[in-house]
């Protein structure tokens, strides 16, 4: 089924609102398929498509894409029709386009085919969906008919961007007419679409075009949260493009080479090589000797140490280099990751160090791993926000094509905020995702490192990811580990204490068979099961999201219709972020 299909609409009385909306879609269709758009065509069409997707999402919530195509009676039809009429004129009046924006359009020759659909957002709304709308509005008489073929006679990128900005104003005016709940629903729907588009994009040019379009469009007037989400998704597209530039495609593998920078230099990029001897005053965080606060050339930094034996260096070093480049790239704060300055070797051991900048918003005090922070009485709101922040972070990295592979509460760092007194300690409002030492690109051809045999860490791992891995590590295993962290946050105690009914990880010898009992126990909602009290403590939605992550099966809430699930084919993290967002007070 096409993502925005309105197939099945019967012929009948057509409302004026629907006719005007269909006229707008016709305008988008003509503009996005006009010939001779120039070298920036991918970016410019993406900007247009983004506004078209937003308009179509609005139309769905306004009732125009329902069976009757009637405008929701709660909306002021006079105001809606006035806005749609202005938008239709802006999209269709070539004289106004030439006079106001110096953009010239001409009718193309009959033998000229329309510009083939290009850009990452092409999958969000297809010609079939557009033709269905035009056919229902009787703007075309046949599904195979094309309304007209145009070509650009004059084009200027800056003028075109101004033109799209004016289109965006009218779309936002329509957005504002929805009540706040439907504005949030519209923002959520757009997030789903854009997440799906980024996940399905594997061309660097398209990802850059999508980034430009997202940055150009504020998309914040309808929902206070979506402006930040738009900027976050633009950052995701950039990070994924960086990964694609480094060869992160399903058909490519990293070269096996002992040279430190061969792969990156061939791509024109290299991680910064720092001097291990300049790391001073290293102080490990509580409960984890592999990471901690230190000084590098007189500046406060955060350091993660990674054992890199000689026999695996040729296979793994390329990945470490790529990870350093990824974590060193500028990212939106919602990624909640430290920025990597570079990597350094330890002259006396086989270890390497990833050196990170100290977060500017944090006081110069050691962070505290979440695993050691359980205790006290944080509010329900604080715990919900913490779970949402961590889930968003993992979602963004997955969208960008990167897996963590080492998720556990020990790798969630709580940094002290400058806004609090130094005695206040780490803040739940400032979590950072760390422990990327085992991280890798989400590519089926990537070689997985053998995970730790430490039972206290294995309890966070999916049964198929324990011990000697029998298959390639997948995103689902990251999601499972995230589910165990959400369970810890909900119960506000460590996973070790939660699973002690089925396995005592304090024993020296714990078999994989014993560890395999953890997942069924965690999914058990009976009085003795892992989920027994989570609904009581955190509510139905939070418990359902946690169970969804632990089971790998998507939870459909009443707010998510079956049709919407089919349209956008959301993944678990998309649904989790949406549902947790609705829980946060």
């Amino acid at each position: 089924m096409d993502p925005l299909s309105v197939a099945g609409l019967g012929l009948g009385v057509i409302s004026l609102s629907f006719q005007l909306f269909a006229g707008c879609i016709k305008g988008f269709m003509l503009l996005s398929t006009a010939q001779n758009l120039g070298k920036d065509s991918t970016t410019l069409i993406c900007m247009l498509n983004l506004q078209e997707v937003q308009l179509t999402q609005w139309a769905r919530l306004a009732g125009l894409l329902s069976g009757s195509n009637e405008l929701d009676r709660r909306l002021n039809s006079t105001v809606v029709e006035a806005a749609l009429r202005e938008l239709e004129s802006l999209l269709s009046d070539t004289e106004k386009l030439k006079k106001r924006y110096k953009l010239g359009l001409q009718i193309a020759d009959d033998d000229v085919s329309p510009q083939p659909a290009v850009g990452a957002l092409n999958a969000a709304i297809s010609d079939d969906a557009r033709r269905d709308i035009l056919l229902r509005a009787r703007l075309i008489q046949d599904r195979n008919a094309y309304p007209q073929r145009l070509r650009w006679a004059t084009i200027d990128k800056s003028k075109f961007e101004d033109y799209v900005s004016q289109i965006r104003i009218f779309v936002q005016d329509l957005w504002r007419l929805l009540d706040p709940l439907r504005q949030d629903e519209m923002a959520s729907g757009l997030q789903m679409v854009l997440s799906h588009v980024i996940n399905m994009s594997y061309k660097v040019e398209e990802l850059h075009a999508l980034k430009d379009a997202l940055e150009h469009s504020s998309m914040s007037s309808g929902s206070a949260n979506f402006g930040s989400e738009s900027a976050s998704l633009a950052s995701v597209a950039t990070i994924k493009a960086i990964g694609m530039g480094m060869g992160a495609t399903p058909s490519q593998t990293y070269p096996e080479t002992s040279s430190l920078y061969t792969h990156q230099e061939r791509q024109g990029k290299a991680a910064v090589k720092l001097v291990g001897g300049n790391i001073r005053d290293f102080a490990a965080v509580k409960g984890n000797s592999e990471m901690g606060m230190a000084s590098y050339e007189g500046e406060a930094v955060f350091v993660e140490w990674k054992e890199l034996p000689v026999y695996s260096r040729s296979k793994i070093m390329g990945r470490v280099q790529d990870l350093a480049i990824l974590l060193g790239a500028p990212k939106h704060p919602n990624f909640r990751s430290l920025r990597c300055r570079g990597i350094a070797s330890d002259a006396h051991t086989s270890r390497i160090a990833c050196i990170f900048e100290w977060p500017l918003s944090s006081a110069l005090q050691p962070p505290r791993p979440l695993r050691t922070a359980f205790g006290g009485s944080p509010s329900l709101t604080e715990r919900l926000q913490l779970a949402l922040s961590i889930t968003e972070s993992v979602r963004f990295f997955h969208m960008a094509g990167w897996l963590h592979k080492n998720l556990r509460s020990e790798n969630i760092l709580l940094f002290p905020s400058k806004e609090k007194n130094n005695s206040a300690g780490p803040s739940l409002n400032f979590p950072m995702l760390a422990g990327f030492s085992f991280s890798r690109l989400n590519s089926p051809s990537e070689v997985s490192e053998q995970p730790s045999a430490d039972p206290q860490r294995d309890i966070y791992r999916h049964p198929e990811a324990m011990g000697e891995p029998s298959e390639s590590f997948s995103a689902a295993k990251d999601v499972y580990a995230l589910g165990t962290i959400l369970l810890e946050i909900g119960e506000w105690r460590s996973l070790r204490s939660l699973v002690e009914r089925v396995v005592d990880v304090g024993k020296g010898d714990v078999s994989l068979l014993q560890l395999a009992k953890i997942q069924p126990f965690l999914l058990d909602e009976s009085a003795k099961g892992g989920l027994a009290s989570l609904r009581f403590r955190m509510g139905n939605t939070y418990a359902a999201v946690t169970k969804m992550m632990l089971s790998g099966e998507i939870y459909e809430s009443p707010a998510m219709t079956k049709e919407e699930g089919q349209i956008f084919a959301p993944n678990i993290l998309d649904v989790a972020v949406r549902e947790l967002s609705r829980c946060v007070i």
Side-chain angles (χ1 to χ4, degrees):
M1 182 177 177
D2 183 87
L4 295 172
S5 176
V6 290
L9 299 178
L11 294 179
V13 178
I14 304 169
S15 70
L16 176 58
S17 297
F18 184 79
Q19 284 182 316
L20 292 169
F21 163 69
C24 295
I25 294 299
K26 177 182 176 182
F28 276 118
M29 192 173 184
L30 291 172
L31 292 172
S32 62
T33 57
Q35 289 285 341
N36 299 336
L37 193 51
K39 63 179 182 179
D40 297 311
S41 60
T42 302
T43 297
L44 300 180
I45 289 175
C46 196
M47 289 179 179
L48 270 177
N49 286 345
L50 186 55
Q51 299 309 314
E52 184 180 13
V53 169
Q54 290 185 75
L55 178 65
T56 310
Q57 283 289 97
W58 169 84
R60 183 179 299 281
L61 291 171
L64 294 181
L65 296 183
S66 63
S68 64
N69 303 128
E70 292 287 340
L71 186 69
D72 190 315
R73 292 183 179 181
R74 290 172 292 181
L75 296 174
N76 187 318
S77 61
T78 302
V79 176
V80 168
E81 288 163 6
L84 286 173
R85 188 175 285 107
E86 289 290 335
L87 180 57
E88 181 187 29
S89 174
L90 185 63
L91 291 165
S92 306
D93 191 333
T94 56
E95 289 300 320
K96 183 183 297 184
L97 188 64
K98 182 177 181 180
K99 183 177 180 180
R100 185 179 301 178
Y101 299 100
K102 312 301 181 186
L103 300 173
L105 272 173
Q106 297 177 346
I107 297 176
D109 297 335
D110 292 338
D111 58 346
V112 174
S113 299
Q115 171 77 22
V118 296
L121 281 169
N122 176 53
I125 180 167
S126 71
D127 273 351
D128 285 342
R130 292 165 171 152
R131 290 172 198 269
D132 282 335
I133 293 171
L134 300 192
L135 185 65
R136 179 65 183 88
R138 301 173 187 172
L139 296 180
I140 57 175
Q141 301 303 314
D142 182 85
R143 188 179 298 276
N144 296 321
Y146 203 87
Q148 202 172 31
R149 291 182 174 88
L150 302 177
R151 60 183 295 273
W152 293 99
T154 54
I155 189 72
D156 178 89
K157 183 181 179 182
S158 62
K159 295 292 186 183
F160 195 95
E161 290 175 350
D162 291 341
Y163 176 55
V164 174
S165 294
Q166 187 60 45
I167 294 172
R168 173 163 48 88
I169 288 173
F170 285 111
V171 174
Q172 289 177 342
D173 285 344
L174 290 166
W175 181 322
R176 294 188 187 97
L177 296 176
L178 298 173
D179 62 68
L181 288 177
R182 283 187 292 174
Q183 288 181 23
D184 288 342
E185 186 176 346
M186 180 174 173
S188 176
L190 284 169
Q191 291 174 26
M192 290 283 195
V193 172
L194 294 171
S195 173
H196 176 75
V197 167
I198 293 174
N199 278 322
M200 298 304 294
S201 296
Y202 294 101
K203 294 182 179 179
V204 173
E205 180 187 13
E206 290 185 353
L207 288 165
H208 282 306
L210 182 57
K211 183 264 296 183
D212 290 341
L214 286 167
E215 289 180 342
H216 180 264
S217 176
S218 67
M219 289 192 293
S220 60
S221 59
S223 169
N225 294 330
F226 196 71
S228 175
E229 178 75 8
S230 173
S232 300
L233 292 175
S235 183
V236 169
T238 300
I239 298 302
K240 184 169 184 178
I242 291 173
M244 301 302 297
M246 293 190 295
T249 65
S251 62
Q252 292 178 305
T253 58
Y254 285 98
E256 296 186 8
T257 172
S258 58
S259 173
L260 199 60
Y261 299 122
T262 300
H263 177 59
Q264 281 70 31
E265 287 172 350
R266 183 161 61 249
Q267 299 295 333
K269 298 178 180 178
V272 176
K273 186 177 181 181
L274 303 177
V275 180
N278 289 344
I279 300 175
R280 309 284 186 187
D281 305 321
F282 177 79
V285 300
K286 185 178 180 180
N288 190 340
S289 62
E290 298 173 355
M291 59 177 65
M293 186 178 181
S295 173
Y296 186 86
E297 296 181 343
E299 295 183 7
V301 295
F302 189 82
V303 176
E304 290 186 20
W305 289 101
K306 165 70 175 171
E307 288 289 342
L308 204 63
V310 175
Y311 66 84
S312 65
R313 187 173 291 260
S314 62
K315 291 184 178 180
I316 306 302
M317 182 55 79
R319 187 185 306 159
V320 174
Q321 292 286 328
D322 287 344
L323 178 62
I325 293 173
L326 168 81
L327 294 178
K331 290 180 288 296
H332 191 276
N334 285 353
F335 268 84
R336 297 193 174 275
S337 66
L338 301 173
R339 186 167 183 178
C340 184
R341 288 181 58 172
I343 59 175
S345 298
D346 187 334
H348 306 291
T349 69
S350 60
R351 299 189 306 170
I352 63 169
C354 291
I355 302 176
F356 298 88
E357 295 177 359
W358 194 261
L360 294 176
S361 54
S362 172
L364 290 178
Q365 290 182 330
R368 188 175 183 179
L370 175 60
R371 186 171 65 87
T372 67
F374 297 124
S377 304
S379 70
L380 174 61
T381 299
E382 287 178 305
R383 286 183 288 144
L384 283 170
Q385 185 59 60
L386 176 63
L388 174 61
S389 296
I390 296 169
T391 304
E392 282 182 327
S393 174
V394 176
R395 171 179 172 247
F396 287 140
F397 275 103
H398 278 208
M399 247 193 287
W402 286 80
L403 304 181
H404 190 283
K405 202 186 174 185
N406 204 22
L407 284 170
R408 57 184 190 273
S409 55
E410 159 180 334
N411 286 331
I412 307 298
L413 301 178
L414 305 176
F415 278 80
S417 173
K418 283 184 177 179
E419 297 177 359
K420 288 193 173 186
N421 296 326
N422 289 339
S423 60
S427 168
L428 295 187
N429 297 325
F430 196 27
M432 301 294 276
L433 192 62
F436 284 89
S437 297
F438 282 75
S439 186
R440 71 177 182 91
L441 284 162
N442 185 13
S443 172
S445 58
E446 276 288 291
V447 178
S448 291
E449 295 175 77
Q450 181 174 343
S452 169
D454 184 349
Q456 294 194 48
R457 298 184 177 185
D458 275 343
I459 59 175
Y460 292 91
R461 294 194 173 109
H462 190 279
E464 295 175 357
M466 295 178 187
E468 187 73 26
S470 59
E471 60 183 74
S472 181
F473 194 89
S474 65
K477 297 178 178 63
D478 252 0
V479 171
Y480 173 85
L482 180 59
T484 65
I485 295 172
L486 259 63
L487 182 58
E488 287 182 306
I489 293 172
E491 295 287 348
W492 204 239
R493 59 191 178 113
S494 70
L495 187 64
R496 176 177 176 173
S497 67
L498 288 168
V499 301
E500 60 186 2
R501 287 185 179 179
V502 291
V503 60
D504 182 1
V505 297
K507 292 182 178 180
D509 185 17
V510 179
S511 71
L512 294 180
L513 184 61
Q514 288 175 288
L515 292 172
K517 297 178 182 179
I518 292 177
Q519 185 188 31
F521 168 75
L522 294 181
L523 287 169
D524 187 356
E525 296 182 81
S526 68
K528 296 183 178 181
L531 292 177
S533 61
L534 192 60
R535 293 182 187 277
F536 168 74
R537 296 182 184 277
M538 302 297 288
N540 290 343
T541 299
Y542 187 97
V545 167
T546 303
K547 183 177 181 179
M548 174 180 69
M549 291 183 180
L550 294 172
S551 67
E553 298 177 0
I554 287 187
Y555 156 64
E556 293 186 357
S557 73
M560 176 186 172
T561 64
K562 183 177 181 180
E563 180 187 20
E564 186 180 29
Q566 292 174 343
I567 287 174
F568 299 114
N571 61 40
I572 287 178
L573 292 179
D574 286 338
V575 176
V577 167
R578 185 189 66 197
E579 297 299 320
L580 290 175
S581 297
R582 292 171 177 171
C583 291
V584 175
I585 301 172

